[in-house]
Amino acid sequence: MPVTATAAGRVLAVLDAFGPSHAALTLSEISRRSGLSLTTTHRLVGELRAWGALERSPDGRYGIGLRLLELGALAPHGLQLREVAVPYVDDLHQATRANVVVGVRDGSDVVYVEALRARTAVKLMSRIGGRWPLHVTGTGLVLLAYASPEVQEEVLSGPLERFTPQTVTDPAVLRRTLAEVRRTGVGIAENQLTAEAPALAVAVPVRGAGDEVVAALGVTVERGTVQAQALIPALNATARGISRALGAPSAQPPRRRT
Amino acid sequence: MPVTATAAGRVLAVLDAFGPSHAALTLSEISRRSGLSLTTTHRLVGELRAWGALERSPDGRYGIGLRLLELGALAPHGLQLREVAVPYVDDLHQATRANVVVGVRDGSDVVYVEALRARTAVKLMSRIGGRWPLHVTGTGLVLLAYASPEVQEEVLSGPLERFTPQTVTDPAVLRRTLAEVRRTGVGIAENQLTAEAPALAVAVPVRGAGDEVVAALGVTVERGTVQAQALIPALNATARGISRALGAPSAQPPRRRT
C-alpha cells in the first residue's frame, strides 16, 4: 500500500506503480496502480519525466528512465559490489556454463546485483535487480543463515510464501535448513521458486572486510544434470576470490613462516 | 541546478545530491548539495529511506538503496537490453579479453547498460550506469552519428567538454568524424576520456526491430596493444548477433532461394 499522504509519498507511489510485470504503463494505469488522481499523476509523471526517472515510449506508455539506472547503480551494496565480483563471476560462468548470480540481502529479500545466465537457460528468474524472498533461493538461504537472529526470527515468524509445491513454508523445516547451511557453508534450493523448469540452486557466502557475510554467490542448473556436490569447489574458490578482493581476513593467503 | 520549487522537485533534489564521486553523504552534505534546509532534508531522507531509495551505513552516512537498483533495472533501454545482449557480450569479452561495453543514448550522453572489464584494466571508466558525453567515447560517437540531425546539431552547437588534451572539442572536426562513422559503421576514440592510461575505444552500432540504431557495442584496449582494424570483425559479428536477437531486419539470415 503506497503512503500517499505526503508529497514524497506521492512521488514514490508513482514509481511504485512500475515493476517487472508492469514495466510499461499508460497514464491511467499509473493513476490506478498508485491510487492517485489522474491530475496529480499527470503532473508528477511530467516532473519525473523531465528529471529522467521516467521516459515515454513512442506508443505513449511510460517506463523507467535511464537516470534511475544511473542512480541505482550507485547503491554501495549493489553494482559497486558487482564491480569487484564481475571478473571472478565471469570465470565461474565460463567454467560451469551455468546461471551465476550474486545476491545481497535487503530486508527479508535477496536482490541480485549480478546475473550471468546460461544461453540454454529455459526461464529467466535471475537478472540484475531481481528480488525474491530469502527462503526460496540458494543465495537467499545463505544470506538468511548468516543474518542476525533478529532477521532470522522475523522471516521465520512471517508467512513464508509458496511458489511451487516443493517450496519450504514450514518454519521448523526452514530452521533446520538454516542450521545445515551454517554447518556446511552451502545453501541448496531445489524446485523452490518455479515449477516450470526443475532447478537446482547452490550458493555459498561471500565475506567482506569485517569477515561478515556481505553477499552470496550462487549457480542454478537444470535439476538432474549436475550434482550439487560437484559445483561446490568451483563456487568456494570463486567466493574466496571475491572475498579476498573485498578484504575479508579469512580469505587472505596464509602468511609464510620464516 | 535542482528545481526545488515543487514537492517532487525537492525529492529529486535529494536524489540528485548523489553521484559517482558522492555515493555516501551525511545529512548536512545532502542538505548543502540539494539546496534544501536541514529540516526538509531530514524529513525527505527519512521518507526515502523508509521506501528503500536511500540506506544508512553504520558510519551514519547515506547511500543509494537497493530499491532504486531494482527499479532502475526496469529501464526498457537499460538492463532489459542488457538481458538480450549479455551472452553475446560475454563471448566477445572472452574472445578479446578487452573491456566491453554496451551503451545507449540518453540526451547528449551515453549511458552504459553493460560493462565487462578486463582484469588487467588500469582504470575503471566503464561500469553499468556510467554516463559520459557522446563525443568522448567510441559508443558515444556511434550513437551520435546515427542520431537525428536535431540531436547532432544540439551536441555540435553546445560546448564540447574537454577531458584530455586530445579530446575533440572543435565542432567542425567532430562533424567530419561523425560522417566518417556513418561511412565506415565504426566509431573510434583515442585518448578522448582519460589522460592517465592511453586508450583506444572502438564501437559499432546495434540495431532494433525497426532497424534503427538502439545501442552501441564497444571495446576499449590499451592504446598500442591492438590495432582498431583487428577488433572490428569480432565487434561486427557480436553486434549482428545482438541486433538479430532484437529482431533487426538487416541482421536476419538471408532467405534461401528455392
Side-chain angles (χ1 to χ4, degrees):
Chain A
M1 289 293 117
V3 179
T4 54
T6 67
R10 284 188 287 274
V11 173
L12 299 174
V14 169
L15 297 178
D16 264 333
F18 294 85
S21 318
H22 305 277
L25 298 172
T26 64
L27 208 56
S28 57
E29 286 169 336
I30 299 172
S31 163
R32 187 163 42 77
R33 288 178 57 82
S34 65
L36 297 169
S37 74
L38 206 54
T39 313
T40 302
T41 305
H42 184 267
R43 179 173 55 76
L44 292 175
V45 164
E47 292 195 66
L48 286 166
R49 191 181 162 204
W51 186 74
L54 297 181
E55 58 180 42
R56 194 172 161 184
S57 64
D59 70 0
R61 295 199 294 173
Y62 293 89
I64 296 295
L66 287 166
R67 179 79 181 96
L68 279 187
L69 170 62
E70 185 187 0
L71 208 54
L74 299 175
H77 303 108
L79 295 192
Q80 297 204 8
L81 173 64
R82 174 191 183 267
E83 291 302 328
V84 174
V86 77
Y88 302 94
V89 172
D90 199 25
D91 288 346
L92 181 65
H93 177 60
Q94 292 295 324
T96 62
R97 281 288 165 193
N99 293 300
V100 182
V101 294
V102 177
V104 298
R105 188 175 67 79
D106 193 33
S108 56
D109 296 326
V110 52
V111 175
Y112 296 138
V113 299
E114 175 57 309
L116 291 173
R117 71 174 187 280
R119 209 183 285 210
T120 54
V122 186
K123 185 150 166 93
L124 182 63
M125 309 303 283
S126 53
R127 53 177 190 80
I128 291 182
R131 177 186 290 267
W132 300 103
L134 290 170
H135 70 289
V136 298
T137 74
T139 48
L141 287 175
V142 167
L143 293 167
L144 185 55
Y146 292 95
S148 70
E150 292 75 29
V151 170
Q152 294 191 14
E153 289 313 315
E154 200 187 311
V155 170
L156 286 162
S157 65
L160 296 167
E161 194 181 346
R162 175 180 294 288
F163 289 82
T164 76
Q166 281 87 48
T167 303
V168 171
T169 56
D170 178 341
V173 174
L174 181 56
R175 200 182 290 274
R176 282 198 299 277
T177 303
L178 296 177
E180 184 71 7
V181 173
R182 282 188 296 273
R183 195 180 65 75
T184 59
V186 180
I188 297 177
E190 287 186 88
N191 298 344
Q192 296 291 298
L193 183 52
T194 170
E196 287 172 45
L200 168 68
V202 185
V204 300
V206 171
R207 293 174 185 275
D211 234 26
E212 77 288 14
V213 173
V214 293
L217 170 73
V219 297
T220 306
V221 295
E222 199 185 329
R223 202 179 159 203
T225 57
V226 188
Q227 293 290 313
Q229 294 302 322
L231 296 165
I232 296 171
L235 271 171
N236 276 333
T238 305
R240 194 180 164 89
I242 303 170
S243 300
R244 188 166 56 242
L246 291 170
S250 63
Q252 299 309 315
R255 270 201 231 166
R256 225 184 280 180
R257 297 208 191 145
T258 48
Chain B
M1 289 292 118
V3 180
T4 54
T6 68
R10 284 187 287 274
V11 173
L12 299 174
V14 169
L15 297 179
D16 264 332
F18 294 84
S21 317
H22 304 278
L25 298 173
T26 64
L27 208 55
S28 58
E29 285 169 335
I30 299 172
S31 163
R32 186 163 43 76
R33 288 178 56 83
S34 64
L36 297 169
S37 74
L38 206 53
T39 313
T40 302
T41 305
H42 184 266
R43 178 173 55 77
L44 291 175
V45 163
E47 291 195 67
L48 287 165
R49 191 182 162 202
W51 185 75
L54 297 180
E55 58 179 43
R56 193 172 162 183
S57 64
D59 70 0
R61 295 198 295 174
Y62 293 89
I64 296 295
L66 287 166
R67 180 77 181 98
L68 279 187
L69 170 60
E70 185 187 0
L71 208 55
L74 299 175
H77 303 106
L79 295 192
Q80 296 202 7
L81 173 63
R82 175 191 183 268
E83 291 302 328
V84 174
V86 77
Y88 302 93
V89 172
D90 199 26
D91 289 346
L92 181 65
H93 177 60
Q94 293 296 323
T96 62
R97 282 287 165 195
N99 293 299
V100 182
V101 295
V102 176
V104 297
R105 188 175 67 80
D106 194 31
S108 56
D109 297 325
V110 53
V111 175
Y112 295 138
V113 300
E114 175 57 311
L116 290 174
R117 72 174 185 281
R119 205 182 287 209
T120 53
V122 186
K123 184 145 169 98
L124 180 63
M125 308 304 283
S126 52
R127 51 177 191 79
I128 290 182
R131 178 187 289 267
W132 300 102
L134 291 170
H135 70 289
V136 298
T137 74
T139 48
L141 287 175
V142 167
L143 293 167
L144 185 55
Y146 291 95
S148 69
E150 292 74 30
V151 170
Q152 293 190 13
E153 289 313 314
E154 200 187 310
V155 170
L156 286 162
S157 65
L160 296 167
E161 195 181 347
R162 176 180 293 287
F163 289 83
T164 77
Q166 281 86 47
T167 303
V168 171
T169 56
D170 178 341
V173 174
L174 181 57
R175 198 181 292 275
R176 283 198 297 276
T177 303
L178 296 178
E180 184 71 7
V181 173
R182 281 188 297 272
R183 195 181 64 77
T184 59
V186 180
I188 298 178
E190 286 187 89
N191 298 345
Q192 296 292 298
L193 184 52
T194 170
E196 288 171 44
L200 168 68
V202 184
V204 300
V206 171
R207 292 174 186 276
D211 234 27
E212 76 289 13
V213 173
V214 293
L217 170 74
V219 298
T220 306
V221 295
E222 200 184 328
R223 202 180 159 202
T225 57
V226 188
Q227 293 291 312
Q229 293 302 322
L231 296 164
I232 295 171
L235 272 170
N236 275 334
T238 306
R240 193 179 163 90
I242 302 170
S243 299
R244 188 166 55 241
L246 291 171
S250 63
Q252 300 309 315
R255 270 200 231 167
R256 225 184 280 181
R257 297 208 192 145
T258 49

